Amino acid sequence: DENSTDARAWTPIGSDINQYTGTFDGNGYTADKLTIDMPTQNEVGLFRSLENAEIRNLTVGVNEIVGQNNVGALVGAIVVQNVNNKSDSATVRIENCHAVESEGGSGIVATGSNVGGLIGAATRSKTGYGINDSSSSVTVSGYNAVGGLVGYCEQPVTNSYSTGAVNAEFRPSSDAVQVYPWIVNDSRPITLNPLDSSGQYGVGGVV
């Protein structure tokens, strides 16, 4: 209800083993006041995870989203399964989708890794569709792989930007972390709070 002032808890669409595989056209509408409180869950967002899917023309208004790993307003994770070596056929397209903070909202917080304003994690797609004409102005906080638009990104991103604050708090970890070339562009300055100098972590304004 676009006229409602309530912020009701949302259960993400899909699951980690049954990804959303359809086409969703928001027709320019806003899903406002999105609230998710799942601090121990992975793949957290309006959609939990996508494969062979297209989401377009939709804005997500974030009240507060809390998750563990792979956390974003629109999608927790875009996945490409390598089934019978046919991953080349997997397609995911994000077109004209945006994340904004609802009035009085507090943004997105991940207690783990891969957190972005729009998408938490986007694994590689060989189709070249990716994320297009999209943006985020949501405040994003996490520990590893934190981005204003996308946290962990192997997808092509075109004509997209982020203006939200990005906060990363490093913490000690015994796990090896793979480093990707995080891009800082078109965003407010990031904030780093180093707790440990060992290990390498990624944080960026866009991805």
Side-chain angles (χ1 to χ4, degrees):
D1 181 354
E2 63 180 353
N3 296 315
S4 174
T5 59
D6 296 333
R8 297 184 176 90
W10 175 260
T11 300
I13 298 169
S15 71
D16 54 353
I17 58 174
N18 293 305
Q19 293 83 15
Y20 180 81
T21 58
T23 297
F24 187 94
D25 191 335
N27 291 312
Y29 282 93
T30 298
D32 202 11
K33 305 181 184 71
L34 182 65
T35 301
I36 304 174
D37 186 16
M38 303 173 70
T40 62
Q41 297 294 311
N42 299 329
E43 288 77 54
V44 175
L46 183 69
F47 292 86
R48 191 163 188 170
S49 57
L50 304 179
E51 185 180 21
N52 291 322
E54 180 175 353
I55 311 296
R56 58 178 181 259
N57 305 322
L58 178 65
T59 297
V60 179
V62 175
N63 180 55
E64 182 180 45
I65 297 176
V66 180
Q68 187 169 17
N69 300 307
N70 303 336
V71 184
L74 182 68
V75 183
I78 293 173
V79 298
V80 176
Q81 302 283 5
N82 189 0
V83 178
N84 297 325
N85 296 317
K86 294 182 179 179
S87 61
D88 285 359
S89 64
T91 63
V92 173
R93 186 194 299 262
I94 305 296
E95 293 275 355
N96 191 32
C97 289
H98 310 277
V100 300
E101 280 192 25
S102 300
E103 185 177 355
S106 55
I108 300 173
V109 176
T111 59
S113 303
N114 304 338
V115 53
L118 193 68
I119 299 166
T123 56
R124 183 170 53 195
S125 171
K126 297 180 180 179
T127 59
Y129 292 135
I131 302 154
N132 308 297
D133 301 316
S134 298
S135 69
S136 172
S137 58
V138 177
T139 299
V140 181
S141 302
Y143 289 97
N144 174 33
V146 184
L149 187 70
V150 185
Y152 175 98
C153 189
E154 297 178 339
Q155 293 268 351
V157 178
T158 60
N159 198 31
S160 300
Y161 63 92
S162 166
T163 59
V166 179
N167 307 293
E169 184 174 345
F170 297 171
R171 64 180 178 182
S173 174
S174 59
D175 298 328
V177 178
Q178 189 168 11
V179 177
Y180 286 80
W182 309 102
I183 301 169
V184 180
N185 188 28
D186 295 330
S187 68
R188 299 174 186 172
I190 60 175
T191 301
L192 302 179
N193 300 303
L195 299 180
D196 182 70
S197 60
S198 64
Q200 295 176 304
Y201 298 78
V203 58
V206 178
V207 298

